[in-house]
């Protein structure tokens, strides 16, 4: 497998004074499911459109499989796109939509028929050849868009928030299907989404973007467990931030004073400098323990439950404590809102679950 | 009793529909249906003297029409002029609308208002201003002579078919702009990008996607220009001279100076049917053509 299949070298794209993509460099491996994740306006769609050839970079260059494609028009690139709104041609039927991209490939009539038939069975749309876009459901349109792009056997499939318009159930189904489809055909997928759960569940690697820059590029579990900065920590999953200041370094650890809780030794993975007032501690809601009785964990706080939300597989508790300024969120699979008398509870934290981040 | 009627009315969808339609319906009956019926009836009568009409049924007027070479050739000329006007308008308006629909990002409305600005003045005034531009001592001729490019004025500019075509094209352009713009503006730009993404060049994308999808606007523009220009008589009367005369000028004559109302009515009826047939044929074949293209 080629680990620098797509090379994005110092790419910037400016629209007037707006830097949609700001000096970004990274590589996408051959055959991987790669996601660009970020809030709207972070530059992820612009980056995808740069790969497709709908936009040209202000600076930098793009290499695909060793070939410089920076200034190639979209019809000359071995990429195909699944559009956010599917962009199915409304004036021709499903079959013709799918054949559309095959005209210029110089295939025989039999080859075209075979490819269309194969791709229709791949996306499970046999029997829909004669339908028009207006006669299809959202999920079916999505499959047509997918088939139309895949039938050209591109080297890279670009997907621009293709699941955004589907309802939750269908979206979950399509996530699994897209993932297994990608494994089956082995084409490199570049997937744009603002939905962190979607990106985490489907991708081999995820690039989290914000303000035109890559904030972190790593495997989904790394993103969740070891966020590189406060933005990633906040954007991926849910977390509690506690104010902190660093003291002296001690081997891999650093002494940190956390709000009114006292001083603790915490692993300093990100090499945060000593005596900094700009540090933040992040603790995931499910990493904490909520209980009716005290525990012997590193930190144990007495608190009052201010609100609960029952989510079926777990319950979220919003707890106020004497020591901490903000209400903290804890989730539990064992307890629900009926478990606590007078809303009194104890929250326990293990130091291992605290990640130390820089505020900036 | 009144209550019962009210409740019947409240429940009856057709009753509500007709009461909403009634103002328009009355107007159409008064100003369209009755005059058209009268015209159709008169085409089967005979003008016996200057003031008298014989009301016995005859189809002789229709035979007269096709026996008079002048009338048939005027009909053909009317269609030819309208056809050219429609074609030129489409070819000039389409790129403008394309530009506004896809490339103008801000103030699209302003562009449309500016384009239709000339049409805020009266039709007649615009026809007269073309007279000033195209005339023997008009803007074009006098400037060409003053610059020294010409010795004598270009005669084909004024009182000719050319003059009629230029004036009608300009006069009706706004009516083509709007349907064309609306149909182009409705096209999702990602469809055009999808076409490019699927390997087609700009030109191919235009033929396979943009043009077929803007077809409703094109047909609309064709109908909106072709139908009124075939019957236009102001422009040919003022700018056409003898060369640029159209059938409508002749029909006007039959109802006026020549005073042969039945023949005028028959000519008008023939024109009406010809326009109907041409219109249906044009929209049908345009649709077929686009299906074949994609």
């Amino acid at each position: 497998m080629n680990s620098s299949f797509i090379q994005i070298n110092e790419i910037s794209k400016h629209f007037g004074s707006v830097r949609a993509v700001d000096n970004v460099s990274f590589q996408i491996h051959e055959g991987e499911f790669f996601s660009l994740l970020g809030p709207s306006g972070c530059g992820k769609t612009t980056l995808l459109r740069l790969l497709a050839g709908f936009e040209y970079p202000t600076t930098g260059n793009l290499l695909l499989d060793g070939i410089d494609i920076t200034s190639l028009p979209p019809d000359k690139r071995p990429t195909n796109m699944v559009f956010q709104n599917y962009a199915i041609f409304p004036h021709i039927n499903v079959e013709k939509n799918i054949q559309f991209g095959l005209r210029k490939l110089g295939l025989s009539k039999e080859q075209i028929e075979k490819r269309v038939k194969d791709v229709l069975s791949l996306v499970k749309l046999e029997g829909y050849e004669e339908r028009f876009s207006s006669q299809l459901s959202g999920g079916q349109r999505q499959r047509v868009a997918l088939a139309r792009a895949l039938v050209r056997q591109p080297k890279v499939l670009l997907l621009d928030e293709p699941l955004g318009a589907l309802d939750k159930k269908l979206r979950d189904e399509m996530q699994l299907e897209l993932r297994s489809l990608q494994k089956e055909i082995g084409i490199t997928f570049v997937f744009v989404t603002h939905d962190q759960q979607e990106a985490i569940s489907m991708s081999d690697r995820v690039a989290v973007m914000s303000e035109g820059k890559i904030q972190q590029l790593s495997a989904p579990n790394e993103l969740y467990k070891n966020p590189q900065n406060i933005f990633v920590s906040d954007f991926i999953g849910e977390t509690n931030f506690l104010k902190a200041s660093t003291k002296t370094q001690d081997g891999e650890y650093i002494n940190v004073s956390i709000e009114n809780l006292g001083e603790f030794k915490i692993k300093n993975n990100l090499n945060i400098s000593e005596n900094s007032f700009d540090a933040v501690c992040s603790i995931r809601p499910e990493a904490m323990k909520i209980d009716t009785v005290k525990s012997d964990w590193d930190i144990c706080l007495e608190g009052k439950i201010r609100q609960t939300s029952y989510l079926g597989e777990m319950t979220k508790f919003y707890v106020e404590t004497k020591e901490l300024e903000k209400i903290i969120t804890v989730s539990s699979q064992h307890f629900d809102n009926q478990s606590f008398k007078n809303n009194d509870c104890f929250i326990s934290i293990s130091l291992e679950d605290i990640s130390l981040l820089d505020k900036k | 009793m009144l209550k019962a009627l009210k409740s019947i009315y409240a429940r009856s969808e057709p009753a509500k529909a007709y009461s909403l339609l009634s103002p328009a319906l009355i107007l159409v009956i008064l100003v369209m249906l009755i005059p058209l019926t009268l015209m159709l009836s008169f085409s089967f009568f005979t003008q016996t003297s200057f003031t008298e009409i014989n009301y016995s049924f005859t189809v002789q007027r229709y035979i007269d029409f096709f026996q008079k070479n002048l009338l048939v050739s005027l009909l053909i000329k009317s269609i030819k002029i309208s056809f050219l006007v429609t074609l030129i308008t489409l070819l000039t308006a389409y790129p403008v609308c394309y530009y506004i629909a896809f490339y103008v990002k801000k103030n699209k409305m302003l562009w449309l208002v500016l384009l239709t600005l000339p049409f805020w003045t009266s039709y007649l005034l615009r026809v007269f201003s073309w007279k000033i531009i195209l005339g023997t001592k008009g803007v074009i001729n006098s400037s060409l002579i003053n610059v020294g490019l010409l010795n004598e004025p270009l005669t084909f500019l004024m009182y000719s078919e050319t003059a009629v075509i230029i004036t009608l094209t300009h006069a009706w352009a706004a009516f083509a702009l709007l349907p064309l713009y609306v149909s182009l503006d409705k096209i999702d730009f990602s469809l055009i990008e999808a076409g490019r993404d699927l390997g087609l060049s700009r030109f191919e994308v235009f033929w396979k996607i943009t043009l077929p999808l803007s077809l409703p606007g094109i047909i609309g523009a064709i109908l909106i220009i072709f139908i009124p220009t075939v019957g236009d008589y102001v422009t040919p009367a003022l700018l056409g001279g003898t060369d640029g005369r159209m059938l409508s000028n002749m029909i006007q004559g039959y109802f006026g100076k020549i005073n042969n109302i039945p023949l005028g009515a028959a000519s008008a009826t023939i024109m009406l049917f010809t326009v109907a047939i041409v219109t249906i044929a044009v929209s049908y074949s345009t649709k077929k053509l686009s299906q074949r293209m994609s």
Side-chain angles (χ1 to χ4, degrees):
Chain A
M1 282 289 150
N2 185 349
S3 68
S4 52
F5 190 58
I6 302 175
Q7 294 182 43
I8 291 152
N9 297 327
E10 293 169 356
I11 288 284
S12 290
K13 176 67 185 176
H14 301 173
F15 294 107
S17 61
V18 180
R19 294 179 177 192
V21 175
D22 193 4
N23 196 21
V24 162
S25 297
F26 62 93
Q27 298 181 343
I28 297 174
H29 307 164
E30 188 172 5
E32 83 174 328
F33 198 123
F34 189 92
S35 286
L36 291 165
L37 171 67
S40 62
C42 72
K44 57 189 191 299
T45 299
T46 306
L47 198 50
L48 194 78
R49 290 171 58 80
L50 285 165
L51 285 171
F54 300 140
E55 310 282 355
Y56 296 104
T58 312
T59 57
N61 63 345
L62 291 168
L63 268 68
L64 201 162
D65 207 4
I67 298 161
D68 191 332
I69 58 161
T70 318
S71 50
L72 283 184
D75 51 320
K76 301 275 182 275
R77 296 190 186 200
T79 58
N80 280 111
M81 177 109 138
V82 175
F83 289 83
Q84 186 167 17
N85 59 1
Y86 315 137
I88 295 166
F89 305 125
H91 59 301
I92 49 179
N93 64 24
V94 167
E95 189 178 20
K96 286 194 174 146
N97 258 281
I98 295 171
Q99 285 173 355
F100 202 89
L102 297 175
R103 300 162 182 266
K104 299 291 280 289
L105 297 184
L107 302 172
S108 72
K109 217 179 158 197
E110 292 75 34
Q111 283 172 309
I112 289 180
E113 273 171 22
K114 187 174 179 313
R115 275 216 200 174
V116 172
K117 210 172 149 259
D118 289 349
V119 82
L120 277 172
S121 89
L122 189 70
V123 300
K124 302 185 191 117
L125 267 185
E126 296 115 321
Y128 286 88
E129 290 87 344
E130 301 297 322
R131 300 263 190 118
F132 283 82
S133 171
S134 56
Q135 300 166 310
L136 299 172
S137 69
Q140 289 164 342
R141 276 182 212 164
Q142 222 257 311
R143 285 162 201 269
V144 175
L146 202 58
R148 188 178 66 180
L150 285 175
V151 80
R152 281 171 56 86
Q153 302 177 352
K155 285 184 178 173
V156 180
L157 187 72
L158 308 168
L159 302 107
D160 186 10
E161 307 215 18
L163 308 179
L166 306 179
D167 60 66
K168 173 126 180 40
K169 191 112 187 148
L170 196 56
R171 198 161 59 215
D172 292 347
E173 257 176 59
M174 283 308 295
Q175 280 180 18
L176 290 173
E177 245 178 76
L178 264 184
R179 178 70 183 160
S180 62
L181 186 74
Q182 193 266 337
K183 287 280 157 275
E184 189 181 331
I185 55 181
I187 292 177
T188 310
F189 276 34
V190 181
F191 187 92
V192 159
T193 180
H194 66 270
D195 184 331
Q196 42 106 1
Q197 180 264 332
E198 200 166 276
I200 287 180
S201 67
M202 296 166 83
S203 325
D204 293 314
R205 290 193 307 151
V206 180
V208 182
M209 287 186 76
S210 154
E211 290 173 351
K213 290 193 165 80
I214 305 279
Q215 299 296 329
Q216 185 168 354
L217 197 172
S218 48
N221 56 346
E222 275 293 300
L223 279 184
Y224 193 77
K225 282 187 192 154
N226 296 316
Q228 297 289 307
N229 58 37
I230 195 163
F231 176 83
V232 176
S233 174
D234 195 22
F235 194 72
I236 308 288
E238 209 179 334
T239 196
N240 296 289
F241 288 121
L242 307 181
K243 282 184 191 165
S245 51
T246 56
K247 305 286 184 226
T248 48
Q249 183 87 18
D250 181 3
E252 281 188 314
Y253 292 83
I254 189 164
N255 290 306
V256 180
S257 123
I258 306 174
E259 283 193 36
N260 300 317
L261 301 179
E263 214 174 289
F264 304 93
K265 267 193 181 20
I266 293 172
K267 219 171 191 183
N268 191 5
N269 288 330
L270 300 174
N271 291 322
I272 290 170
S273 57
E274 294 182 331
N275 301 317
S276 160
F277 290 99
D278 286 330
V280 166
C281 285
S282 154
I283 313 161
R284 300 280 182 199
E286 73 278 5
M288 288 184 271
K289 190 177 80 157
I290 186 166
D291 208 336
T292 50
V293 291
K294 260 193 169 165
S295 74
D296 56 356
W297 288 26
D298 300 321
I299 301 170
C300 186
L301 304 170
E302 194 181 342
K304 263 217 183 300
I305 298 167
R306 288 296 171 218
Q307 216 177 332
T308 55
S309 56
Y310 179 68
L311 299 172
E313 75 274 22
M314 61 170 180
T315 307
K316 266 194 209 166
F317 298 92
Y318 301 91
V319 180
E320 192 181 322
T321 57
K322 260 182 272 160
E323 292 85 351
L324 301 173
E325 203 175 293
K326 276 192 229 157
I327 293 207
I328 52 175
T329 313
V330 189
S331 61
S332 167
Q333 293 179 320
H334 304 292
F335 296 101
D336 60 31
N337 53 352
Q338 256 123 61
S339 315
F340 298 94
K341 254 186 217 162
N342 297 327
N343 290 328
D344 288 324
C345 67
F346 289 95
I347 297 168
S348 312
I349 303 166
S350 159
L351 290 183
E352 288 165 33
D353 296 322
I354 298 179
S355 17
L356 187 65
L357 301 165
D358 206 325
K359 216 181 236 173
K360 285 169 281 181
Chain B
M1 178 65 193
L2 193 66
K3 229 178 184 179
L5 270 177
K6 265 188 181 166
S7 112
I8 290 171
Y9 180 79
R11 287 178 203 194
S12 162
E13 289 300 322
K16 278 186 226 164
Y18 280 115
S19 56
L20 281 172
L21 270 177
S22 55
L25 221 51
I26 291 165
L27 194 70
V28 167
I29 290 169
L30 281 179
V31 306
M32 287 286 293
L33 201 62
I34 296 174
L36 273 177
T37 320
L38 281 175
M39 188 189 78
L40 202 62
S41 323
F42 268 93
S43 73
F44 296 112
F45 302 152
T46 314
Q47 188 92 28
T48 46
S49 76
F50 199 76
T51 48
E52 278 169 52
I53 286 172
N54 177 357
Y55 294 104
S56 53
F57 179 87
T58 171
V59 292
Q60 189 56 43
R61 299 296 81 73
Y62 289 92
I63 299 166
D64 289 350
F65 181 95
F66 288 104
Q67 278 174 344
K68 290 190 188 232
N69 285 336
L70 175 69
L71 290 179
V72 176
S73 70
L74 279 179
L75 176 65
I76 293 169
K77 188 190 258 178
S78 296
I79 292 169
K80 187 185 108 187
I81 289 178
S82 286
F83 176 78
L84 283 172
V85 168
T86 313
L87 191 73
I88 296 169
T89 315
L90 276 183
L91 289 179
T92 46
Y94 197 93
V96 177
C97 295
Y98 188 94
Y99 179 79
I100 301 173
F102 295 125
Y103 291 97
V104 176
K105 298 282 179 238
K106 287 181 211 161
N107 301 328
K108 285 190 182 194
M109 208 53 215
L110 184 71
W111 276 77
L112 287 176
V113 169
L114 286 177
L115 277 170
T116 48
L117 203 60
F119 305 91
W120 296 9
T121 53
S122 100
Y123 177 48
L124 220 58
L125 272 179
R126 271 177 285 138
V127 175
F128 274 113
S129 33
W130 276 106
K131 222 169 170 163
I132 296 168
I133 296 169
L134 302 172
T136 343
K137 290 187 173 161
V139 178
I140 295 179
N141 276 324
S142 51
S143 34
L144 285 177
I145 290 170
N146 285 341
V147 172
L149 286 171
L150 287 178
N151 291 324
E152 34 189 270
L154 298 165
T155 47
F156 71 87
L157 277 181
M158 194 54 181
Y159 301 122
S160 65
E161 228 179 279
T162 322
V164 175
I165 292 173
I166 292 175
T167 311
L168 282 178
T169 305
H170 175 251
W172 291 92
F175 298 93
L177 283 169
L178 295 175
L180 284 176
Y181 168 74
V182 170
S183 72
L184 282 166
D185 196 51
K186 269 201 328 206
I187 299 176
D188 183 354
F189 196 70
S190 65
L191 292 174
I192 292 167
E193 288 185 333
R196 297 277 281 143
D197 190 60
L198 293 167
L200 269 64
S201 67
R202 276 168 198 281
F203 186 71
E204 288 165 321
V205 165
F206 177 76
W207 281 103
K208 304 282 181 202
I209 300 166
T210 319
L211 195 61
L213 287 177
S214 62
L215 209 61
I218 296 175
I219 293 178
I222 289 176
L223 299 185
I224 255 171
I225 300 167
F226 186 79
I227 297 171
T229 51
V230 172
D232 192 278
Y233 81 94
V234 176
T235 302
L238 291 172
L239 296 171
T242 42
D243 175 43
R245 223 159 15 142
M246 288 163 74
L247 184 59
S248 43
N249 305 101
M250 207 59 204
I251 294 173
Q252 188 209 9
Y254 283 128
F255 280 94
K257 277 183 218 146
I258 311 170
N259 199 30
N260 189 344
I261 292 172
L263 186 55
S267 309
T269 310
I270 288 167
M271 186 140 170
L272 191 69
F273 278 97
T274 320
V275 171
I277 291 165
V278 171
T279 324
I280 293 165
V282 166
S283 27
Y284 182 77
S285 57
T286 323
K287 233 175 220 162
K288 274 275 164 250
L289 192 74
S290 85
Q291 274 166 11
R292 189 158 324 150
M293 281 191 316
S294 56

